Amino acid sequence: MIRVENLWYTYDGDNYVLRDVSLEIGEGEIYYILGDNGSGKTTLIRHLNGLLKPSRGRVLVDGLDTRETPVSRLAEKVSIVFQNPEKMFYMPTVIEEISTTLRNFGVENPDQRAEEILREYGLSRYRDRSPFTLSGGEKRILSIAIMTGWSPRYLVLDEPTIGLDGDYRRRLQWAIDRHLSRGGSVVIVTHDMELVLEREGRVVILSDGQVVYRGYTQELIDLDPGQLGRYGLVKPTYARSTSYMKTSGVIKDYHGYCGVFAEVAGVLDNV
Amino acid sequence: MYRIGLEAFRFEERDAPLYRLDPRAKLLVAFIYMILTILANSQAIQLLITALLLATLLLLGRLGRKLVKNLVTLAPLMTLVFLANYLVSGDLMASLLPTQKLLNLVMSLNTFFLTTNPDDFAITLEKMGMPLTITLAFSLSLRFIHVLARVLTEIVEAQLSRGHKLDSGGLTTRIRNYTAILIPLIIISVRKSISVAETLELRGFREGARHTPFTTMKIGFWDVAYIIVSISIATALLIYGGEIENILLEILTRYLEDMAI
């Protein structure tokens, strides 16, 4: 479990970008961190593997205090995939990029495992290409492939859907589902409400460095679009229709939008 | 450590008298202090210059915290200069002089670069008759430091997150470790510079075209006062340096004698 306890953080010693943030990320759960630009989302996740140390409060990863534990040890447990994948690439080929990271974490048979990862993520045809020559979507999928290779317990994705088209979006979904099915936890920082509403999970909304909303994805459906808009979030059209269907009694509850369609189909069947 | 180093030499807007002065006045005074530093070969005078520059940066610039970062960053180089001189000359006091000169040269430049917006710096150069292409390249380079600092931080964090150990192993291993930082940094920098060039073209930038700067500069009362005071101090130090040194040494000797009694 990751416990963030009364976390305060300042870069310059004067202005706090995180103010009294507390949250708990349990095992096997999906946790969404939402909020507008500059609300402190990325600063918060940089605390999860010890890249930043709290100015006040503390962060515990499976009982390890991030202030006292080296990043290399925390990174084994908490894998963060940052927004710009290019910043992590430095090897001449895609396969070496994956195997180097596996070696860093002491994975057995890194070369063989790297080949498997390439196949799993559908990147085999790019095996010997420079990662810098891949398209935006391919780079993002490669970065996720790299950062899940050693099976970390917590996978943190910073704005994972930016620049992803249909096929790569499906591969991202597959990677999230697989990580969850193996008992890992996923933390997603995003503005993409469609991604948020695809799975049931816990949500916090940050604004100006503070937690202004806590709840579950299903409850976001009932939130006023104006309220979400204040935090830089846009409610998708189907979520607005779902909200309407719920208040008018067509459907009883929200269980992901696939569930909604199934329920509507059931209602229409009865009609 | 690398973060402190990058922040130490970065311009940040602040409400302080030194920031409000005309960049031309600040540049002139910075040069006066630099010339004075180079010419003065006495430790006492160098100490006085340090005190004057400290007073300027702290009182007029309110740059206390920044100055500490500056000195922390500069400390290894100053130590190296001191040790190299000491190894060659074997004289402790004589080795101190080049170290003091280095410190004063950096602090002189700080009175200008830490307190002047890169855009104002470009206009200053233009007013001094430099062609637009050169002044633009100069101001873009200065602004790029800030961008590169951010990119560098993000690259280091991305590498640490994937288990890359930067400070482990012997010297050669450590140098090799840093290729993981340098390769993405170079590639991203080149890409960014290409995109800046393309943006300039898209915005109609042409070599030799006339343009009007958004801000204009005017030398005011405080700028003149700043220049006159600085020139007076510099002249006094150059002419009466010997006497001032003797007085300072006398005070120091008396103080030491009193302490001994």
Side-chain angles (χ1 to χ4, degrees):
Chain A
M1 176 183 279
I2 298 179
R3 285 172 67 97
V4 178
E5 295 177 354
N6 309 100
L7 174 64
W8 291 70
Y9 187 75
T10 168
Y11 285 99
D12 58 9
D14 296 323
N15 305 304
Y16 282 91
V17 284
L18 288 178
R19 292 184 287 164
D20 203 17
V21 174
S22 296
L23 47 97
E24 272 181 20
I25 301 160
E27 278 176 32
E29 79 168 330
I30 186 157
Y31 207 104
Y32 295 97
I33 300 172
L34 314 178
D36 49 5
N37 290 328
S39 59
K41 304 186 296 288
T42 304
T43 305
L44 172 60
I45 60 164
R46 284 159 76 198
H47 278 87
L48 303 184
N49 69 352
L51 289 171
L52 295 179
K53 309 292 179 194
S55 303
R56 274 194 265 164
R58 63 177 184 167
V59 178
L60 299 172
V61 178
D62 293 340
L64 298 171
D65 193 326
T66 58
R67 290 170 301 183
E68 292 148 12
T69 316
V71 176
S72 54
R73 181 141 181 236
L74 291 166
E76 262 184 69
K77 291 174 180 290
V78 184
S79 167
I80 303 182
V81 183
F82 287 103
Q83 227 181 94
N84 184 348
E86 268 195 352
K87 286 173 184 157
M88 65 155 64
F89 301 149
Y90 69 99
M91 295 304 284
T93 60
V94 167
I95 184 79
E96 286 170 281
E97 203 70 71
I98 299 173
S99 60
T100 304
T101 308
L102 297 178
R103 273 191 195 91
N104 285 343
F105 290 105
V107 173
E108 281 178 26
N109 303 321
D111 296 324
Q112 192 190 326
R113 179 77 192 107
E115 298 283 359
E116 285 168 19
I117 291 170
L118 273 186
R119 274 197 300 278
E120 285 167 5
Y121 281 86
L123 294 166
S124 295
R125 62 192 155 136
Y126 307 119
R127 186 186 183 280
D128 298 316
R129 265 175 66 177
S130 161
F132 287 100
T133 60
L134 303 182
S135 72
E138 288 157 358
K139 279 179 195 159
R140 192 168 289 277
I141 293 300
L142 173 61
S143 67
I144 295 170
I146 291 169
M147 297 305 281
T148 50
W150 70 95
S151 304
R153 192 169 286 178
Y154 305 94
L155 175 64
V156 184
L157 303 165
D158 191 3
E159 299 284 3
T161 51
I162 288 181
L164 283 192
D165 64 14
D167 181 38
Y168 292 114
R169 216 180 148 98
R170 272 193 295 280
R171 284 197 234 177
L172 167 74
Q173 302 281 17
W174 171 82
I176 294 171
D177 286 336
R178 196 176 69 145
H179 192 77
L180 288 169
S181 69
R182 288 176 174 180
S185 310
V186 179
V187 179
I188 300 180
V189 170
T190 187
H191 278 101
D192 187 342
M193 286 294 284
E194 283 198 32
L195 179 74
V196 176
L197 294 172
E198 273 166 18
R199 286 179 191 78
E200 290 181 31
R202 283 208 279 171
V203 177
V204 286
I205 300 180
L206 290 181
S207 179
D208 202 18
Q210 283 177 302
V211 174
V212 289
Y213 178 85
R214 265 176 219 282
Y216 291 88
T217 44
Q218 306 94 298
E219 292 163 7
L220 288 177
I221 292 283
D222 299 327
L223 282 187
D224 174 36
Q227 192 182 349
L228 283 171
R230 277 199 295 281
Y231 307 129
L233 303 167
V234 181
K235 207 170 181 180
T237 314
Y238 72 81
R240 271 181 271 163
S241 348
T242 306
S243 188
Y244 176 73
M245 284 193 279
K246 210 174 139 191
T247 45
S248 55
V250 179
I251 59 166
K252 290 185 195 73
D253 214 345
Y254 175 75
H255 302 289
Y257 69 83
C258 293
V260 169
F261 291 131
E263 206 168 330
V264 171
V267 171
L268 290 175
D269 228 18
N270 289 338
V271 170
Chain B
M1 182 67 189
Y2 70 94
R3 267 187 215 155
I4 295 174
L6 289 166
E7 281 170 27
F9 297 98
R10 204 174 71 191
F11 167 78
E12 278 163 18
E13 197 69 62
R14 199 171 299 217
D15 185 29
L18 200 56
Y19 284 73
R20 289 193 287 270
L21 290 177
D22 190 290
R24 287 167 293 180
K26 285 189 277 186
L27 191 60
L28 181 67
V29 171
F31 274 121
I32 291 169
Y33 277 120
M34 284 169 75
I35 292 166
L36 189 64
T37 303
I38 293 164
L39 292 179
N41 282 320
S42 135
Q43 277 142 356
I45 302 294
Q46 291 292 345
L47 209 62
L48 271 178
I49 299 170
T50 310
L52 281 169
L53 286 167
L54 270 177
T56 311
L57 289 165
L58 292 177
L59 302 175
L60 296 179
R62 292 177 197 147
L63 284 158
R65 200 177 285 168
K66 195 103 172 166
L67 206 61
V68 172
K69 285 180 185 170
N70 233 285
L71 294 176
V72 168
T73 315
L74 205 61
L77 186 62
M78 280 167 54
T79 315
L80 196 72
V81 169
F82 176 77
L83 288 176
N85 277 282
Y86 184 68
L87 286 174
V88 173
S89 67
D91 185 346
L92 200 71
M93 292 311 276
S95 314
L96 209 60
L97 189 66
T99 319
Q100 283 179 296
K101 284 194 175 189
L102 173 69
L103 175 69
N104 287 343
L105 284 173
V106 174
M107 289 218 292
S108 310
L109 286 170
N110 279 348
T111 60
F112 178 76
F113 283 106
L114 290 186
T115 62
T116 308
N117 191 314
D119 290 338
D120 292 340
F121 180 49
I123 299 168
T124 311
L125 291 176
E126 230 175 291
K127 291 257 178 196
M128 289 160 71
M130 283 211 184
L132 179 63
T133 42
I134 293 175
T135 60
L136 185 74
F138 221 94
S139 71
L140 281 177
S141 310
L142 281 180
R143 264 188 274 176
F144 210 54
I145 294 172
H146 176 72
V147 178
L148 275 189
R150 207 180 54 222
V151 172
L152 178 64
T153 306
E154 287 169 3
I155 291 172
V156 171
E157 288 184 351
Q159 300 302 353
L160 290 174
S161 298
R162 63 187 283 198
H164 196 82
K165 293 177 188 77
L166 292 172
D167 296 322
S168 65
L171 186 67
T172 44
T173 317
R174 280 180 191 221
I175 292 169
R176 212 179 307 133
N177 287 347
Y178 273 85
T179 53
I181 307 296
L182 284 175
I183 291 172
L185 186 66
I186 291 167
I187 291 174
I188 291 169
S189 309
V190 170
R191 285 197 178 157
K192 276 196 191 294
S193 63
I194 291 170
S195 102
V196 168
E198 284 172 351
T199 312
L200 281 172
E201 277 190 56
L202 288 172
R203 292 176 66 180
F205 180 82
R206 281 180 294 117
E207 201 180 332
R210 286 178 67 82
H211 80 291
T212 322
F214 187 68
T215 48
T216 50
M217 289 177 182
K218 202 178 168 191
I219 295 271
F221 171 77
W222 292 111
D223 300 309
V224 177
Y226 184 57
I227 295 169
I228 290 175
V229 170
S230 305
I231 290 178
S232 311
I233 293 170
T235 319
L237 285 175
L238 278 177
I239 297 172
Y240 304 108
E243 283 88 338
I244 294 170
E245 191 181 359
N246 288 338
I247 294 166
L248 282 173
L249 282 173
E250 205 173 309
I251 294 169
L252 189 69
T253 319
R254 268 191 212 163
Y255 177 73
L256 289 172
E257 277 171 6
D258 288 350
M259 288 283 285
I261 291 164

